[in-house]
Amino acid sequence: MADLQAIVDEIHDKLAPRLGEGKVADYIPQLAHVDPKKFGMAIVTVDGEIFKVGDADVPFSIQSISKVFTLTLALGKHGETTWNRVGREPSGSAFNSIVQLEHEEGKPRNPFINAGAIAVSDLVLAGHTPREAIGEIVRFVRYLADDDSIAIDPTVAKSEQATGYRNFALANFMRSFGKLDHPVEHVLGVYFHHCALAMTCTQLAKSGLFLAASGRNPLTGHTVVSKQRARRINALMLTCGHYDGSGDFAYRVGLPGKSGVGGGILAVAPGRASVAVWSPGLNHNGNSLLGSLALEMLTTRTGWSVFGH
Ligand code: GLU
């Protein structure tokens, strides 16, 4: 195998002069306080080897990356009926777009745009109070990463709760179409809290490893989902994981991935490794600018791709 430590070190060195490029998300006030020059990357292979560089052990707000974990939970709870509530097509529009939702009568295009993830939060909430649902999500992510120190940053959750006008609009809109079962405040309480999970690149790469290893976390031996479900979640990450930048990410990186406005990206190289990268500056689609570049450099060097060797 390629010398992965040398590769991540080289990526870090090459990007060092560019740290700070891109635009840090500031529509969630608490996210604007992050140092734009942070950069971390962690690779966890299916053999359990870990390679990391830079700020790989500094926690950051995972934001929309959490949507992969809530989707996994919702599928576990509701199986294929999940798809009655949310579609599986790329949206081709911004992460928080409302226009499409009106055309499609409150059924969001996919589980990774905000409206879709809000619908998924509603599914995770079934049979629970919001507090219980949030607890279930945190326990699930701790189980995936095998790390009980993972927690939600309450200041980020509060900050978004106070300013998430657009998400309130999306949720109210869906509720008006009868597409949410629970009160909007409860559903968004769950949504804002899972987006506010704080994790390091190392924790994130570990928690995504089941997707690289046919549904089983080789570090813990736990079977998280079936092989088929792992493949399907990867397919959604590939087609929808970067909003209207998903095509570009597939073209340049060639792996399923999910980004968050905190500047993190989780990418899955099936049969090989799970990779997390963090650089807060975003490109015009709201995806980490240098994070995408780092993953492009990694897959160029290793030849990792879901499209061929
Ligand atoms: N919590 C963020 C929002 O709803 C998530 C967006 C993202 O990470 O892309 O706006």
Side-chain angles (χ1 to χ4, degrees), residues 27-28 31 62-65 67 95-96 112 114 118 160 167 191-192 195-196 243 258-262 286-287:
Y27 74 99
I28 302 172
L31 292 186
I62 70 164
Q63 291 296 320
S64 284
I65 302 170
K67 296 170 182 177
F95 69 102
N96 55 6
F112 295 149
N114 285 13
I118 291 168
E160 196 170 357
N167 288 321
Y191 174 79
F192 291 143
C195 285
Y243 309 118
K258 181 73 203 86
S259 70
V261 290
N287 301 313

Side-chain angles (χ1 to χ4, degrees), residues 3 13 25 57 70 79 100 104 106 133 144 154 157 200-201 204 214 219 228:
D3 181 349
D13 289 347
D57 289 314
T70 52
Q100 205 161 49
E104 297 176 357
L144 290 178
T200 67
C201 288
L204 204 51
S214 306
L219 298 177
Q228 183 192 51

Side-chain angles (χ1 to χ4, degrees), residues 26-30 156-168 192:
D26 55 8
Y27 74 99
I28 302 172
Q30 197 61 27
V156 173
K158 271 210 192 77
S159 180
E160 196 170 357
Q161 196 119 31
T163 56
Y165 308 110
R166 175 90 65 137
N167 288 321
F168 275 100
F192 291 143

Side-chain angles (χ1 to χ4, degrees), residues 34 38 55-62 149 151 153 197-201 203 278:
V34 174
K38 292 282 184 204
D55 301 307
D57 289 314
V58 177
F60 62 94
S61 192
I62 70 164
S149 69
D153 181 338
L197 273 160
M199 291 173 73
T200 67
C201 288
Q203 290 168 335
W278 174 46

